[in-house]
Amino acid sequence: MSAMGVFVRGLLMGAADIVPGVSGGTVAFITGIYDTLLSSIRAVDLHFARLLLQGDIRNAWEHVNGAFLLALLAGIGTSIFSLARIISWLLENHPVPLWAFFFGLILASALVLLRQVETWTAPRSLSLVVGMAIAVTIALAPVVNLDFGLPGVFLSGFLAICAMILPGISGSFILVLLGMYGTVLAALKSLDLGFILVFGVGAAAGLMCFSRLLHYLLHRFHEGTMALLTGFLFGSLLVVWPWKRVLVWVEGSHGQLKPAQQLPVSPIDFTVATGHDAQIALCVGLMLAGFMLVWFIDTRWGRAERARQPA
């Protein structure tokens, strides 16, 4: 895989991670690099630390597949810094069409993953249902409050990063559910180094633990794990459904109210509840555009990469 190909995948992952409800892990899956990503993260272990302490930088770099991680992180960073303002503006001014576009992305991604389960058995079907149930529960859950000092900060980082690499649910959405979204944004804005350090340590711990668990599951129970993750994606469609009615609000970093718990409704009910035009024709068109974009990405990169991977 070329460095440019990895960089482009990073661009797509970064664009997905910007928006609550959309996971960069989903993009990693449909572009065929998810297993490589988990393996590279999992390689940050005691052997890697030992190589660094010995000054063997070259072998340490090769041990973690450094070229892959560097190109991917460069793409993610470039995308986040270049698209953050655009996505934020669209979320603020045109949220319904934007969510419609992401609905199409997630739906197509779920169908791509569904094809990865070659043989359906009762346990795999149950895994699909369980994944859907978990995602639906998270999507409809009310806000909890983990704002109880540094232990809450650590746990928030741990859970958020787990969600970020898990297809279907984004880390920022988990922070909203935990009641920590505004707190984290405020800490980043004010450069609260103590808060950021504890949050970062929690995120690093979650990344190390969860990546190893997913890597193990994908190698020992590949079909069942794929069914579970596909269920996550189907269930998370409720998160990105464009027409919602807000049930619970939380305060953002600038004192503005942000939706924390929302109920999916029909376009007609959305218009009645909010007084805003449902923009049905535009939203359907954007759903189709998002769907076709994922299908193109899967055709262009995903199928070729998965075909080269060992069975």
Side-chain angles (χ1 to χ4, degrees):
M1 187 187 309
S2 68
M4 181 54 66
V6 176
F7 179 80
V8 171
R9 289 165 172 81
L11 288 175
L12 297 172
M13 289 179 63
D17 279 327
I18 292 172
V19 179
V22 182
S23 171
T26 301
V27 176
F29 248 117
I30 65 175
T31 57
I33 63 170
Y34 194 73
D35 191 55
T36 303
L37 176 61
L38 290 182
S39 297
S40 298
I41 295 173
R42 194 173 65 92
V44 182
D45 52 15
L46 291 178
H47 181 61
F48 172 72
R50 191 178 304 113
L51 290 172
L52 286 181
L53 291 176
Q54 294 173 352
D56 192 351
I57 304 300
R58 179 177 179 179
N59 283 328
W61 179 262
E62 293 177 352
H63 180 68
V64 297
N65 199 359
F68 169 83
L69 288 178
L70 179 62
L72 189 69
L73 291 174
I76 292 173
T78 300
S79 183
I80 288 176
F81 283 110
S82 61
L83 295 179
R85 289 184 179 274
I86 298 175
I87 298 296
S88 296
W89 184 84
L90 288 172
L91 281 173
E92 183 70 25
N93 295 280
H94 303 284
V96 174
L98 183 63
W99 286 120
F101 178 71
F102 282 110
F103 184 90
L105 292 178
I106 296 294
L107 177 59
S109 301
L111 294 177
V112 168
L113 290 194
L114 190 65
R115 296 184 311 173
Q116 306 308 307
V117 183
E118 297 181 357
T119 305
W120 285 96
T121 62
R124 291 169 187 171
S125 299
L126 179 61
S127 296
L128 178 71
V129 173
V130 168
M132 292 178 62
I134 293 174
V136 168
T137 300
I138 293 174
L140 300 179
V143 173
V144 299
N145 187 7
L146 284 186
D147 195 3
F148 51 81
L150 293 181
V153 175
F154 178 90
L155 184 58
S156 297
F158 188 97
L159 295 175
I161 199 67
C162 290
M164 193 171 294
I165 63 173
L166 186 68
I169 303 294
S170 73
S172 56
F173 182 73
I174 292 298
L175 289 177
V176 170
L177 294 180
L178 297 177
M180 293 291 287
Y181 185 74
T183 305
V184 172
L185 288 182
L188 292 173
K189 180 183 176 182
S190 62
L191 292 179
D192 186 341
L193 297 182
F195 184 103
I196 295 173
L197 177 61
V198 174
F199 186 86
V201 171
L207 189 62
M208 294 299 103
C209 296
F210 201 59
S211 63
R212 282 163 170 74
L213 174 61
L214 280 178
H215 186 272
Y216 170 80
L217 291 175
L218 284 171
H219 279 76
R220 288 292 301 272
F221 310 102
H222 184 268
E223 299 281 300
T225 302
M226 294 300 295
L228 179 69
L229 295 176
T230 302
F232 278 132
L233 280 180
F234 277 119
S236 70
L237 288 173
L238 288 180
V239 179
V240 294
W241 178 251
W243 300 286
K244 309 183 190 76
R245 181 165 60 88
V246 179
L247 301 179
V248 178
W249 296 86
V250 295
E251 186 174 329
S253 60
H254 300 289
Q256 75 278 26
L257 293 178
K258 292 179 174 291
Q261 185 183 13
Q262 303 181 87
L263 179 67
V265 297
S266 70
I268 296 176
D269 290 337
F270 171 83
T271 300
V272 171
T274 65
H276 296 146
D277 183 10
Q279 300 174 278
I280 297 176
L282 175 61
C283 288
V284 171
L286 288 172
M287 285 180 182
L288 291 174
F291 190 95
M292 295 308 298
L293 177 60
V294 171
W295 216 253
F296 170 77
I297 292 172
D298 181 60
T299 302
R300 174 63 178 83
W301 288 303
R303 296 179 187 178
E305 289 299 330
R306 288 192 293 268
R308 284 197 288 266
Q309 293 177 0

